[in-house]
Amino acid sequence: MTTSNSTSPAAAPVAVVTGGARGIGLAIGQWFLDHGYKVALLDIDQPTLAATEHALARPGDVLALHCDVSQPEQVDAAAAAVLARFGRVDALVNNAGVAVFKPVLETTFAEWRQVLSTNLDGAFLCSHAFGAIMVAQRSGAIVNIASISGLRASTLRVAYGTSKAALIHLTKQYAVELGNFGVRSNVICPGPVETEMAKLVHSVAIRSDYYDTIPLGRYGSTEEMANTVGFLCSKEASFINGQYLAVDGGFDASGVGLPTLRRNNPDLQDVGAAS
């Protein structure tokens, strides 16, 4: 005989996390599992997603769905699968994202569209599909994962930074309209986080620039990002709507990368000499 409603499948809240196979997305999914949620993990990387599903070893609580969030039909199919399996959606975390790190004039239109189609279009499509479920319930929370690059410009991030800035505004648009149905929308803006992607793309020089600029003097952890997202989805944040929160160790007070860019680009080494 069941003695606690928290163990009933009908009573368990449900979270959907895009880009949930690794890194920040996986940490967020783990936070939800640790707090009694059923979790749907969406990811375009099917082998990694399958490995994550196997490692979590919680088939009753985890639904792993191969999904390209930039494709409307795949997002709609994922929403239908989540609803068929769990019957509701209480939290959506739009975490799926890609980046191209190149100088502005070397970034192609194809690369621009690649980044925006995942980072911005994906959040739009998922918020529509899963937001409709939450609107029907008259409850729920959306948290988008933007970036400190969406709050201020940095080097080599024209597509990435622009997509994240747009995502911050998109969050406010959903907050204004869906808030009328009891669905809250907020966004976090992580600073540098210790992930596999960061280890691949952050050179020694860039890491040094970050350390020199962040008041706390370190990178954030995926668990710190997950804790913030979990709070924003929880009842403790029930009157927080349409807000962004920089989770960055204080980095929003400054910037990074310009000295390294100038040192590495002979065309910029004379910048400022005339003055």
Side-chain angles (χ1 to χ4, degrees):
M1 178 177 176
T2 301
T3 57
S4 171
N5 287 336
S6 63
T7 61
S8 168
V14 177
V16 177
V17 183
T18 72
R22 60 159 68 86
I24 293 174
L26 177 56
I28 292 168
Q30 187 64 62
W31 186 96
F32 282 120
L33 288 171
D34 292 344
H35 290 79
Y37 283 70
K38 306 290 187 180
V39 176
L41 301 177
L42 279 58
D43 208 287
I44 195 173
D45 184 347
Q46 192 164 20
T48 302
L49 181 64
T52 295
E53 181 183 25
H54 178 75
L56 289 172
R58 294 180 61 171
D61 299 326
V62 175
L63 175 62
L65 296 171
H66 179 239
C67 180
D68 180 348
V69 297
S70 71
Q71 300 301 311
E73 67 281 359
Q74 293 190 34
V75 172
D76 289 342
V82 172
L83 199 57
R85 173 71 175 274
F86 295 131
R88 62 182 298 112
V89 173
D90 299 278
L92 167 65
V93 182
N94 286 309
N95 169 73
V98 296
V100 172
F101 297 108
K102 295 174 69 174
V104 167
L105 297 182
E106 295 178 17
T107 302
T108 67
F109 181 68
E111 290 167 334
W112 168 271
R113 282 305 317 152
Q114 174 197 0
V115 173
L116 266 71
S117 67
T118 296
N119 297 5
L120 186 60
D121 298 353
F124 172 83
L125 293 170
C126 289
S127 296
H128 263 49
F130 293 101
I133 297 171
M134 290 187 276
V135 164
Q137 297 167 178
R138 296 299 194 268
S139 67
I142 298 171
V143 176
N144 294 321
I145 310 301
S147 169
I148 202 68
S149 296
L151 295 178
R152 58 177 302 149
S154 187
T155 58
L156 311 179
R157 290 164 171 81
V158 62
Y160 182 77
T162 301
S163 72
K164 296 301 187 177
L167 183 58
I168 293 168
H169 189 76
L170 183 70
T171 302
K172 296 180 180 181
Q173 294 289 161
Y174 278 96
V176 169
E177 294 197 38
L178 300 195
N180 292 278
F181 300 95
V183 179
R184 299 180 296 106
S185 298
N186 294 289
V187 55
I188 72 167
C189 301
V193 179
E194 287 288 6
T195 63
E196 292 304 313
M197 178 183 288
K199 292 174 184 177
L200 287 173
V201 303
H202 288 187
S203 66
V204 173
I206 286 294
R207 291 183 72 93
S208 178
D209 285 339
Y210 273 123
Y211 289 138
D212 288 344
T213 309
I214 299 170
L216 292 187
R218 63 175 177 85
Y219 277 39
S221 70
T222 57
E223 290 77 16
E224 287 170 322
M225 304 306 121
N227 288 339
T228 308
V229 170
F231 164 71
L232 289 173
C233 290
S234 72
K235 293 181 179 178
E236 284 72 19
S238 58
F239 203 55
I240 300 176
N241 188 38
Q243 302 302 307
Y244 74 83
L245 179 58
V247 191
D248 67 348
F251 175 60
D252 189 30
S254 58
V256 67
L258 187 56
T260 298
L261 180 70
R262 288 174 174 166
R263 284 195 299 269
N264 292 342
N265 191 328
D267 293 335
L268 297 179
Q269 289 178 0
D270 293 331
V271 171
S275 60

